[in-house]
């Protein structure tokens, strides 16, 4: 829980978290923009909190600039329609239900009935999308030959990488790919599966990607380059 706040000229309030560390020589200041906007200050044992906050004030314009470029997150409310995993989904709420339920509807519109209290709405929608994303990833993997199936799948919220493949056999994906077109998500999955055979980006690697993905690899890569930041629109 943040004890202090940093108010931007726009009125947006950024929580300030101050921690004391033994062995630290100077105050360190880290404005974080992901996964949420926060300012983290680490201070040496003998430096008071008010000195640390004074230090933050001295760096005010620098901090403000860091948060200036952060796109404002779109909030999700009851009655909104959002798109994920290639579906248009209308968000409804029913607090008499404990679990979320998903209803497939006609004409490409689906309904997600979010259970529980409404103040948890966004978190519950996010958890639902994450779970659905994991199922979708597994489905795509099952379309490939068994030799490409990974030992473990991990779902992450990374800002710069959409997927990664470790030598230990774990393949990780950013769940925000759920907001990308299905073929773009499929491309990232295939890309990481192919890394299990080729840990580099050699011509042999790209050949493997094409064999597994089919036509359209360049188009998917281009989409990610052009629209990748839009996948961070929510939450
Ligand atoms: Zn790669």
């Amino acid at each position: 829980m943040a004890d202090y706040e940093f108010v931007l000229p726009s009125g947006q309030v950024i929580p300030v978290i101050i921690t004391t560390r033994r062995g630290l020589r100077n105050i360190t200041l880290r404005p974080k923009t992901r996964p949420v906007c926060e300012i983290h200050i680490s201070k040496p044992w003998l430096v008071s909190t008010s000195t640390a906050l004074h230090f933050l004030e001295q760096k005010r314009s620098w901090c403000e600039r860091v948060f200036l470029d952060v796109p404002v997150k779109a909030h999700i409310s009851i009655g909104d329609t959002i798109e994920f995993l290639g579906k248009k989904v209308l968000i409804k709420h029913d607090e008499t239900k404990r679990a979320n339920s998903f209803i497939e509807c006609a004409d490409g519109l689906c309904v997600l009935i979010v259970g529980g209290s409404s103040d948890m709405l966004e978190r519950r929608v996010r958890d639902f999308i994450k779970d659905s994303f994991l199922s979708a990833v597994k489905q795509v993997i099952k379309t490939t030959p068994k030799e490409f199936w990974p030992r473990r799948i991990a779902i992450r919220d990374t800002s710069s990488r959409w997927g990664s493949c470790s030598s230990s056999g774990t393949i990780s994906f950013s769940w925000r790919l759920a907001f990308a077109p299905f073929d773009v998500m499929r491309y990232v999955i295939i890309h990481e599966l192919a890394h299990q055979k080729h840990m580099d980006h050699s011509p042999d690697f790209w050949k493997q990607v094409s064999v597994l993905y089919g036509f359209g690899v360049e188009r998917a890569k281009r989409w990610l380059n052009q629209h990748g930041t839009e996948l961070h629109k929510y939450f």
Side-chain angles (χ1 to χ4, degrees), residues 80 82 84 88-94 99-105 110-115 121 124-126 128-129 132:
D80 285 351
I82 59 170
F84 59 90
K88 276 196 168 66
V89 180
L90 173 68
I91 308 293
K92 287 191 173 180
H93 179 238
D94 183 349
N100 294 334
S101 54
F102 195 58
I103 306 169
E104 303 257 357
C105 295
C110 302
V111 177
L112 171 60
I113 296 174
V114 183
L121 185 92
R124 280 170 175 268
V125 172
R126 187 190 62 193
F128 181 83
I129 296 172
S132 310

Side-chain angles (χ1 to χ4, degrees), residues 40-234:
H40 289 243
I41 302 175
S42 299
K43 66 175 186 67
W45 202 252
L46 291 172
V47 169
S48 68
T49 300
S50 60
T51 304
L53 289 171
H54 182 68
F55 181 75
L56 172 61
E57 269 318 307
Q58 285 176 329
K59 304 284 178 191
R60 170 168 281 278
S61 57
W62 173 69
C63 278
E64 284 177 357
R65 272 202 306 279
V66 171
F67 294 110
L68 200 64
D69 296 330
V70 180
V72 176
K73 297 276 181 185
H75 282 286
I76 291 174
S77 315
I78 299 157
D80 285 351
T81 301
I82 59 170
E83 277 190 68
F84 59 90
L85 296 169
K87 288 181 170 126
K88 276 196 168 66
V89 180
L90 173 68
I91 308 293
K92 287 191 173 180
H93 179 238
D94 183 349
E95 63 184 339
T96 63
K97 293 205 165 60
R98 290 179 77 189
N100 294 334
S101 54
F102 195 58
I103 306 169
E104 303 257 357
C105 295
D107 300 326
L109 185 68
C110 302
V111 177
L112 171 60
I113 296 174
V114 183
S117 71
S118 60
D119 57 337
M120 304 278 268
L121 185 92
E122 287 203 325
R123 192 198 287 187
R124 280 170 175 268
V125 172
R126 187 190 62 193
D127 290 349
F128 181 83
I129 296 172
K130 276 188 185 179
D131 289 347
S132 310
F133 174 69
L134 180 60
S135 308
V137 167
K138 287 177 179 168
Q139 272 173 24
V140 169
I141 289 173
K142 279 189 182 152
T143 65
T144 65
K146 244 186 180 162
E147 58 189 291
F148 290 96
W149 295 10
R151 196 172 294 166
R152 213 180 133 251
I153 305 162
I155 300 300
R156 301 188 199 286
D157 192 358
T158 44
S159 54
S160 53
R161 299 177 78 185
W162 301 116
S164 62
C165 175
S166 79
S167 50
S168 63
T170 298
I171 291 195
S172 310
F173 299 105
S174 164
W175 67 275
R176 292 177 180 279
L177 285 166
F179 297 114
F182 182 79
D183 274 342
V184 173
M185 179 189 91
R186 194 171 68 85
Y187 158 69
V188 176
I189 297 168
I190 297 292
H191 181 117
E192 298 310 329
L193 293 183
H195 271 316
Q196 294 179 114
K197 303 267 168 168
H198 307 275
M199 283 304 272
D200 49 17
H201 291 116
S202 61
D204 282 346
F205 165 79
W206 288 113
K207 216 162 151 187
Q208 184 66 75
V209 172
S210 288
V211 168
L212 292 173
Y213 184 81
F215 183 73
V217 168
E218 289 306 318
R219 194 178 49 198
K221 280 161 75 175
R222 216 166 35 240
W223 192 95
L224 272 180
N225 279 336
Q226 289 171 352
H227 302 278
T229 52
E230 293 166 23
L231 306 185
H232 291 277
K233 176 176 152 194
Y234 296 112

Side-chain angles (χ1 to χ4, degrees), residues 22-35:
R22 278 181 199 278
L24 204 67
R25 285 171 167 245
N26 302 303
I27 300 173
T28 62
L29 182 60
R30 274 193 312 133
K32 282 177 45 176
T33 56
R34 285 189 183 147

